Amino acid sequence: MKNLILTALMVSGLTGAIASTAAGQQDSTAKEKSKWRDRKEYSVTLGIRDTESSDSTRRTKASKGRFVGGLTFTRIDLGYSRLIDNGSFTLSPENEFLDYRGGKTSTFSFDVVQMGYRFNQNFKIYVAGGFDWTHIRLNKDITIQPDQGELTYVEEDIQFSKNRFSSSYVHIPLNFELRTSENSKGNRFYFIAGPEVSFLLNGKVKQKSDERGKQKFKDDYNFQALRYGATARFGYAGIGFFTKFYFNDMFATDAQKGLKNMSFGITLGLN
């Protein structure tokens, strides 16, 4: 997972550098720059700049609206996850076995496809699709058991140097995007919000200890098969902040009723 995160950040940084170099070469005439961007309504993009529009020549076309979309690698969310137990950040006695290290309980997600409609230069609605991971770094030396009707665990007599409990989802957000006009540097402020549904891919327990070495176990672990919530992002140019909150319970079990998940952090690739 660390390699995936590092790769994502390297791709974003490299693409940002390429985009900046390309923009510098195209500054010879504002007209040529605008024409190049006019062809990017449907595209494959890797980067953190919105290449689909420009303020210089498209203002007259913007009022007509247009469809936009294509393959992408953007809205890379990297941050922390927190469990909310019936409105409290303190876990109830029934859920104390899920006690976790806040600094190492994380989330990572990104979008790979999007399709929508831009009404004008400042407003767009689109549906996206991508992947989402939540990693809970457990404090206790326990092993969450697979193939159980309830969330079950056993206490171990060894000490784990790593005991990570994870879920992975395919997510489909519906985003409403507001953005300002470009400033003199060609950058904008963004505000993006909307609902999101996610479909479970799998759950995983990953452990590391001197006695057993590295171990991995996969199961659904009673994570919700269908998760729904909302996301909000705010940023400038290609970087910003995000927060996500899921409305339904994290697990499809009676004992964990009211246990929900939220996350927050930085976003790379706002467009």
Side-chain angles (χ1 to χ4, degrees):
M1 188 61 196
K2 291 181 179 179
N3 292 335
L4 181 59
I5 295 174
L6 290 174
T7 301
L9 295 177
M10 290 174 64
V11 170
S12 298
L14 178 61
T15 309
I18 294 173
S20 298
T21 303
Q25 294 175 346
Q26 292 169 351
D27 281 340
S28 57
T29 65
K31 184 176 181 180
E32 291 179 358
K33 178 180 178 182
S34 299
K35 288 181 178 179
W36 181 79
R37 287 184 172 181
D38 278 347
R39 297 195 298 269
K40 304 298 287 185
E41 294 182 3
Y42 288 89
S43 60
V44 177
T45 61
L46 290 171
I48 60 174
R49 289 295 307 274
D50 185 353
T51 60
E52 69 183 34
S53 61
S54 175
D55 286 343
S56 55
T57 62
R58 195 171 288 188
R59 286 180 180 142
T60 56
K61 293 184 179 181
S63 60
K64 300 178 181 179
R66 67 190 186 282
F67 289 97
V68 294
L71 298 178
T72 184
F73 183 69
T74 190
R75 287 176 293 279
I76 305 167
D77 295 334
L78 179 62
Y80 298 102
S81 288
R82 294 292 182 267
L83 304 187
I84 302 177
D85 195 336
N86 290 284
S88 173
F89 287 104
T90 301
L91 295 175
S92 63
E94 294 80 9
N95 295 321
E96 282 184 352
F97 69 96
L98 291 172
D99 184 39
Y100 59 94
R101 302 181 187 181
K104 292 187 176 182
T105 294
S106 61
T107 184
F108 177 64
S109 69
F110 56 88
D111 291 342
V112 295
V113 65
Q114 63 181 19
M115 185 67 65
Y117 190 81
R118 177 167 294 289
F119 292 86
N120 53 51
Q121 285 295 298
N122 305 112
F123 182 60
K124 178 175 71 172
I125 298 177
Y126 60 96
V127 175
F131 301 93
D132 185 294
W133 291 265
T134 298
H135 301 295
I136 304 171
R137 191 69 172 266
L138 297 175
N139 270 325
K140 297 183 182 297
D141 295 320
I142 63 173
T143 299
I144 308 293
Q145 298 296 289
D147 300 319
Q148 301 294 319
E150 297 290 332
L151 197 58
T152 307
Y153 68 95
V154 296
E155 296 182 355
E156 305 284 5
D157 57 359
I158 63 175
Q159 184 175 2
F160 294 111
S161 58
K162 176 186 288 187
N163 193 6
R164 195 174 72 184
F165 186 33
S166 307
S167 64
S168 59
Y169 283 83
V170 172
H171 68 203
I172 304 175
L174 171 62
N175 289 326
F176 298 83
E177 177 193 282
L178 291 172
R179 67 183 189 181
T180 64
S181 299
E182 290 182 348
N183 59 20
S184 59
K185 296 182 179 180
N187 294 320
R188 312 171 187 265
F189 284 97
Y190 289 84
F191 178 74
I192 305 169
E196 173 182 306
V197 296
S198 304
F199 300 92
L200 181 67
L201 291 175
N202 60 54
K204 181 188 291 187
V205 169
K206 184 177 182 179
Q207 298 174 326
K208 184 177 180 181
S209 64
D210 293 336
E211 293 84 353
R212 300 177 183 174
K214 296 180 180 179
Q215 293 181 298
K216 296 180 182 179
F217 309 97
K218 289 186 178 181
D219 188 61
D220 64 17
Y221 290 106
N222 295 290
F223 282 106
Q224 289 284 3
L226 174 64
R227 185 176 68 178
Y228 53 90
T231 302
R233 296 182 178 89
F234 175 78
Y236 174 73
I239 190 169
F241 300 94
F242 79 91
T243 183
K244 297 181 182 180
F245 181 78
Y246 301 103
F247 301 137
N248 59 334
D249 293 343
M250 192 173 184
F251 299 97
T253 55
D254 293 334
Q256 281 68 50
K257 187 175 180 60
L259 185 65
K260 303 181 186 300
N261 182 23
M262 71 163 293
S263 59
F264 58 92
I266 62 171
T267 294
L268 300 175
L270 287 172
N271 60 62

